[in-house]
Amino acid sequence: MKTELQQIDQLDEAQSAELHQLFQAEWWTKGRTLEETRRMLKQCDLIVAFCEPESRKLAAFSRVLTDFVYKAFLFDVIVAAPYRQSGTGRALLEAIVQHPNLQQVRHLELYCLPELVPFYEKWGFSSQSANVVLMRRSQS
């Protein structure tokens, strides 16, 4: 897809619904409700997304939770199927790592599937995290 996309930092109601639909197609977000998606969007520290300039259709999305000093954690890096393999994912990651509000943050972090490690390594992400182990406590 060769269309020039517009970077946005918040989603309107239609884009929120589109994001919810994107979530339903992915293993890590399937089952999230539209209401949960809306609530999550209100609490994000930073949103980096791309949409079609005229239709405003959502093409790519990511959110960042951060203290703006030590840590910034990327979540829900997602590109709509029609925009995959077009450079949109690369543009999204570039927009995140170059974001002015993240330039002073010591560590940008994310987690991903092993097959995506080579993609994220292009931006300096590493799986070498000094013996850090991801731990999780689920409440529901």
Side-chain angles (χ1 to χ4, degrees), residues 28 32 40 44-48 61-67 70-78 89-99 102 105-112 119-120 123-125 134 136:
W28 80 94
R32 291 181 180 180
M40 174 271 297
C44 293
D45 296 318
L46 190 69
I47 289 173
V48 178
F61 172 86
S62 182
R63 62 188 174 106
V64 180
L65 300 181
T66 182
D67 57 23
Y70 302 110
K71 301 287 183 183
F73 211 106
L74 284 62
F75 290 99
D76 299 331
V77 178
I78 190 167
R90 289 187 295 278
L92 182 62
L93 260 291
E94 194 64 31
I96 294 166
V97 300
Q98 296 298 322
H99 196 285
L102 298 176
V105 178
R106 188 170 296 164
H107 297 118
L108 296 179
E109 299 179 349
L110 57 81
Y111 54 90
C112 67
F119 176 77
Y120 291 110
W123 286 273
F125 289 92
L134 173 66
R136 175 176 291 157

Side-chain angles (χ1 to χ4, degrees), residues 22-39:
L22 289 175
F23 281 170
Q24 300 316 299
E26 301 299 333
W27 65 271
W28 80 94
T29 51
K30 189 174 192 146
R32 291 181 180 180
T33 68
L34 180 55
E35 181 52 38
E36 288 171 334
T37 300
R38 287 179 181 137
R39 268 191 3 242

Side-chain angles (χ1 to χ4, degrees), residues 77-139:
V77 178
I78 190 167
V79 176
Y83 301 92
R84 293 178 184 169
Q85 304 299 316
S86 69
T88 301
R90 289 187 295 278
L92 182 62
L93 260 291
E94 194 64 31
I96 294 166
V97 300
Q98 296 298 322
H99 196 285
N101 293 349
L102 298 176
Q103 294 310 295
Q104 301 301 312
V105 178
R106 188 170 296 164
H107 297 118
L108 296 179
E109 299 179 349
L110 57 81
Y111 54 90
C112 67
L113 292 174
E115 58 266 26
L116 292 173
V117 168
F119 176 77
Y120 291 110
E121 285 178 334
K122 295 173 189 172
W123 286 273
F125 289 92
S126 169
S127 59
Q128 305 304 315
S129 298
N131 299 321
V132 173
V133 175
L134 173 66
M135 297 179 71
R136 175 176 291 157
R137 178 180 179 264
S138 296
Q139 301 208 130

